[in-house]
Amino acid sequence: MSLRKDFLWGGATAANQVEGGWQEGGKGISIIDIERGSVHGVKRVIDQEILPDVFYPSHSATDFYHHYKEDIALFAEMGFKVYRFSIAWTRIFPNGDETEPNEEGLAFYDRVLDELEKYNIEPLVTIHHYEMPYHLVKKYGSWRNRELVDFALRYAKVILRRYQHRVKYWLTFNEINNALTNPRPWHQAGIIYAEGEDQAQTKLNVMHHQLLASALTIIEGRKINPEFQFGCMLLYPKTYAQTCNPEDQLMVREKMLPLYYCADVQVRGYYSNTCTAYWDRNHSQPVMKPLDENILRQGTVDFISFSYYFSSVVGTGPIEQTDGNMSKAGVNPYLKATDWGWQIDPLGLRLALNDLYDRYQIPLFIVENGLGARDEVTAEGTIEDDYRISYLKEHIQAMKDAVEKDGVDVIGYTSWGCIDLVSAGTGELRKRYGFIYVDQHDDGTGTQARLKKQSFYWYQNVIKTNGEEL
Ligand code: BG6
């Protein structure tokens, strides 16, 4: 076994983290537009409205809205076969509950697709990536409300129809399982739990609504174009047991339940025993209508995509905690961590690939993986990010081992933040992931000039050799 000849190498971004242009082209206010940037290690602050003199990172982000031609040309120069990006719901339906879409928003993504077609880059579109109209939160209570399923379906049908001959690969919800695990699922679902709210009930309803919206999108999508390929998108929380105490091992399984919960429904098409056991743990279950089971059964995905950045440890003993993606993570003494405390574990990626493939036996797509780090521009204008190369090299090697030694079917790899963007977790610009540096900073300064990092040339060669030379 070796990597497919048509392996989809590329990079990934999300609208709210790169586009900027937050009030251009008729765009509405999204849940991220009212979220302040933060400083290292501190979580972002959500305001009720836009305040004057406050830094809101998504308002300008790294300005893909005005630089998309230049950026896509750079992706092409690296040899990208695929570019994963998300469509902002607020560009298409600014408030979310309109009956007619905003043509200017649709036209923007037409222009983006024009550029991708120019360079033969396959688009991979995320329909919901941590972005939704703020109006739907204020007026309807966000995904708590089943009406959101209809609004989301209307939005999905518009973009599926509009781009039916231009986009083949679609992801419904980014890191869908995050709505079950995150104590504040603002990005994933526009939810901040009210005081005294039955959180277990809310999160199961929210998840049911999103799973329904995902399934309906796929059912409708297949009517529009039977060639569409749909994927779920999961945050993979690789977890180890602290000791060989079986209780610690059981804790690992508990930690994985939210991921299996979503994947079982999206891949298998029904709430499995794992899901009902999760209901029991939460002393609650989602409110369902009689036809919902049929919808979930019909709207299953063609492939599984996931994000993988780090791993953590759980156990019955005391465990030191470090930072992780959207949550804390138990420290593993065998691993080193990034500047942001995320523990670097390439072998964990191979294990994750094996776990998902063993369990579901459908193609896998790694759609997020990368290193958030501080980059320095030298006096000569270069960025020597050998630390990023080393992180990516080890993870790509682990992916190749999963394919070549374990027989896992992987169809593509899109490195996260292929161009510098705003961190979702902290709203910082100084946490950079890109092969392309953007001269933009947390204090609002910068020329927005694009510079190629050392990793740009390295990744270019990886793609050219289909991963043979790392
Ligand atoms: C994933 C998200 O959780 O992790 C991305 O899908 C996010 O949107 C990425 O940017 C990295 O996290 P962070 O907090 O470093 O931006």
Side-chain angles (χ1 to χ4, degrees):
M1 293 284 283
S2 58
L3 289 189
R4 293 164 174 241
K5 294 225 162 10
D6 57 355
F7 191 81
L8 290 166
W9 292 102
T13 62
N16 79 82
Q17 292 173 262
V18 286
E19 282 182 5
W22 74 291
Q23 282 187 309
E24 289 183 61
K27 182 183 170 297
I29 297 178
S30 91
I31 54 169
I32 303 297
D33 291 332
I34 57 156
E35 198 174 356
R36 285 187 215 184
S38 182
V39 287
H40 189 165
V42 180
K43 288 286 169 203
R44 303 175 70 176
V45 175
I46 299 159
D47 291 320
Q48 301 290 316
E49 56 184 325
I50 313 258
L51 304 174
D53 306 323
V54 163
F55 174 59
Y56 293 100
S58 68
H59 292 191
S60 47
T62 41
D63 204 31
F64 179 80
Y65 193 73
H66 298 106
H67 288 79
Y68 67 95
K69 286 190 181 173
E70 183 184 348
D71 294 348
I72 292 171
L74 287 164
F75 300 158
E77 194 182 328
M78 266 188 284
F80 277 22
K81 312 282 182 216
V82 62
Y83 172 47
R84 174 185 175 220
F85 63 99
S86 70
I87 290 181
W89 188 348
T90 45
R91 289 203 188 281
I92 312 302
F93 287 98
N95 283 325
D97 58 357
E98 299 91 338
T99 50
E100 293 303 319
N102 169 36
E103 175 55 33
E104 267 193 274
L106 289 165
F108 169 65
Y109 295 106
D110 269 326
R111 294 196 294 276
V112 169
L113 291 168
D114 288 344
E115 292 308 301
L116 293 174
E117 279 163 18
K118 195 152 109 189
Y119 301 108
N120 252 325
I121 299 175
E122 184 87 50
L124 166 62
V125 172
T126 316
I127 299 175
H128 300 276
H129 192 134
Y130 292 175
E131 191 272 355
M132 64 182 285
Y134 182 40
H135 174 76
L136 295 182
V137 176
K138 286 189 292 184
K139 181 157 179 202
Y140 300 92
S142 194
W143 284 96
R144 290 180 184 87
N145 189 331
R146 195 174 162 119
E147 271 191 270
L148 266 279
V149 178
D150 301 328
F151 298 138
L153 186 60
R154 186 181 300 159
Y155 155 58
K157 276 161 75 173
V158 165
I159 58 173
L160 291 166
R161 272 200 204 106
R162 173 79 167 219
Y163 310 121
Q164 59 179 296
H165 303 302
R166 314 189 76 182
V167 177
K168 175 177 168 194
Y169 294 99
W170 300 88
L171 306 179
T172 52
F173 285 84
N174 183 61
E175 295 185 336
I176 191 165
N177 49 321
N178 189 17
L180 286 182
T181 49
N182 199 318
R184 192 187 75 154
W186 180 248
H187 290 177
Q188 179 56 50
I191 300 278
I192 294 178
Y193 295 113
E195 228 178 280
E197 180 169 3
D198 181 347
Q199 292 191 14
Q201 180 67 68
T202 299
K203 76 178 174 183
L204 293 178
N205 284 347
V206 163
M207 184 49 66
H208 182 61
H209 297 153
Q210 294 198 342
L211 290 168
L212 269 184
S214 171
L216 284 163
T217 297
I218 294 170
I219 293 168
E220 290 303 318
R222 294 218 169 96
K223 289 184 201 155
I224 295 167
N225 183 350
E227 300 293 307
F228 280 161
Q229 290 286 300
F230 287 98
C232 56
M233 196 309 199
L234 307 157
L235 180 158
Y236 196 92
K238 178 67 202 146
T239 309
Y240 299 100
Q242 184 184 25
T243 70
C244 49
N245 178 350
E247 293 291 337
D248 289 359
Q249 190 56 41
L250 191 61
M251 287 175 73
V252 173
R253 178 167 162 76
E254 291 292 324
K255 181 92 185 287
M256 293 306 294
L257 286 187
L259 175 135
Y260 296 145
Y261 185 104
C262 299
D264 281 7
V265 176
Q266 294 190 289
V267 180
R268 295 172 168 162
Y270 58 92
Y271 283 115
S272 63
N273 62 303
T274 298
C275 305
T276 53
Y278 190 77
W279 296 348
D280 291 346
R281 308 272 197 290
N282 283 276
H283 310 289
S284 200
Q285 63 184 72
V287 177
M288 290 171 64
K289 289 193 176 175
L291 289 180
D292 289 0
E293 283 187 8
N294 284 349
I295 294 169
L296 297 179
R297 209 168 274 279
Q298 288 174 51
T300 54
V301 296
D302 302 297
F303 64 95
I304 295 175
S305 78
F306 67 101
S307 62
Y308 177 86
Y309 292 92
F310 66 94
S311 64
S312 68
V313 172
V314 293
T316 41
I319 304 176
E320 189 193 335
Q321 299 293 306
T322 180
D323 280 332
N325 194 356
M326 316 283 170
S327 57
K328 290 279 176 196
V331 167
N332 185 333
Y334 295 97
L335 301 177
K336 294 205 170 78
T338 71
D339 286 350
W340 272 261
W342 297 18
Q343 303 180 94
I344 303 170
D345 180 16
L347 195 50
L349 175 59
R350 179 170 167 190
L351 295 169
L353 286 162
N354 274 283
D355 174 41
L356 290 172
Y357 197 60
D358 281 350
R359 192 173 167 109
Y360 298 108
Q361 296 280 299
I362 62 172
L364 305 180
F365 200 148
I366 301 167
V367 294
E368 281 190 37
N369 173 239
L371 176 73
R374 281 193 199 87
D375 291 331
E376 300 295 335
V377 183
T378 64
E380 294 72 40
T382 60
I383 299 114
E384 310 295 329
D385 57 341
D386 46 317
Y387 38 88
R388 180 166 295 107
I389 294 173
S390 129
Y391 176 99
L392 294 171
K393 191 187 275 193
E394 290 180 3
H395 284 78
I396 292 174
Q397 183 59 53
M399 171 185 79
K400 284 177 63 185
D401 288 344
V403 174
E404 291 165 5
K405 298 182 181 163
D406 308 330
V408 176
D409 185 9
V410 184
I411 56 176
Y413 175 92
T414 55
S415 171
W416 177 248
C418 46
I419 181 161
D420 287 350
L421 41 64
V422 174
S423 152
T426 58
E428 294 165 295
L429 282 155
R430 85 191 84 177
K431 186 181 190 188
R432 297 173 182 273
Y433 284 89
F435 301 113
I436 301 161
Y437 181 93
V438 180
D439 180 34
Q440 176 127 348
H441 309 280
D442 288 327
D443 59 4
T445 60
T447 60
Q448 293 174 344
R450 274 64 177 150
L451 296 175
K452 296 172 200 169
K453 302 182 193 176
Q454 190 189 340
S455 57
F456 180 101
Y457 303 102
W458 171 81
Y459 196 49
Q460 189 179 47
N461 192 51
V462 170
I463 298 177
K464 196 168 121 206
T465 60
N466 199 25
E468 284 303 310
E469 288 176 24
L470 293 181

